[in-house]
Amino acid sequence: MSLIPKKGTVYVVDDDEGVRDSLQWLLEGKDYRVRCYDSAETFLSRYDAREVACLIVDIRMGGMTGLELQDRLVERKSPLPIVFITGHGDVPMAVNTMKKGAMDFIQKPFQEDALVNLVERMLEQAKDAFAGHQQSASRDALLAKLTSRETQVLERIVAGRLNKQIADDLGISIKTVEAHRANIMEKLNANTVADLLKIALGSSAPKA
């Protein structure tokens, strides 16, 4: 048994058992963790969005197609990098998938070295994408702790409004604004206004 850590997880979704087996054999031989599914529906029911991984999926399958699976993942805001397996006639269709965010497509029969290189690139992208996804989820969880009034106060802090201006905007006293600010700082684990802005603005916060 290999003691070398697995390089990452590769999901393979294809209704052709031969394709699944050949991809699994190839990628496990390169020390990737491979999970195969015979349909998009089965994959969706078992997919763990918290796992750093990438997806290789056939465009044409019985039931939900690879294109429909991509649409479902886009709806879920999944950061999962996708590459499509295509036949010659599917190339224009595959180009359209890239406009929706797919990383690439490979034609059958595919070259092993090219596929392994592509998987390596996908997993590198996945690490970055999943880190951003986790940060965004953590930020959303923090902001969800705020009451509606605290959210109103935070929006005005972010807009650069002073306590007196916020009090006038909301028809409350300055002391009440100060109390809300203190609660917001505590709930968001922010020590400074700069911390507060980073959490509130997320990826759009100005770089230091």
Side-chain angles (χ1 to χ4, degrees), residues 127-137:
K127 287 172 189 171
D128 294 337
F130 276 79
H133 188 66
Q134 288 297 102
Q135 287 174 358
S136 178

Side-chain angles (χ1 to χ4, degrees), residues 45-72:
S45 69
R46 298 179 187 174
Y47 166 52
D48 184 352
R50 296 167 298 179
E51 187 167 26
V52 176
C54 63
L55 170 64
I56 299 174
V57 58
D58 194 7
I59 279 190
R60 297 181 186 274
M61 295 184 287
M64 186 187 297
T65 67
L67 300 175
E68 291 168 335
L69 173 57
Q70 182 186 29
D71 287 340
R72 293 285 185 89

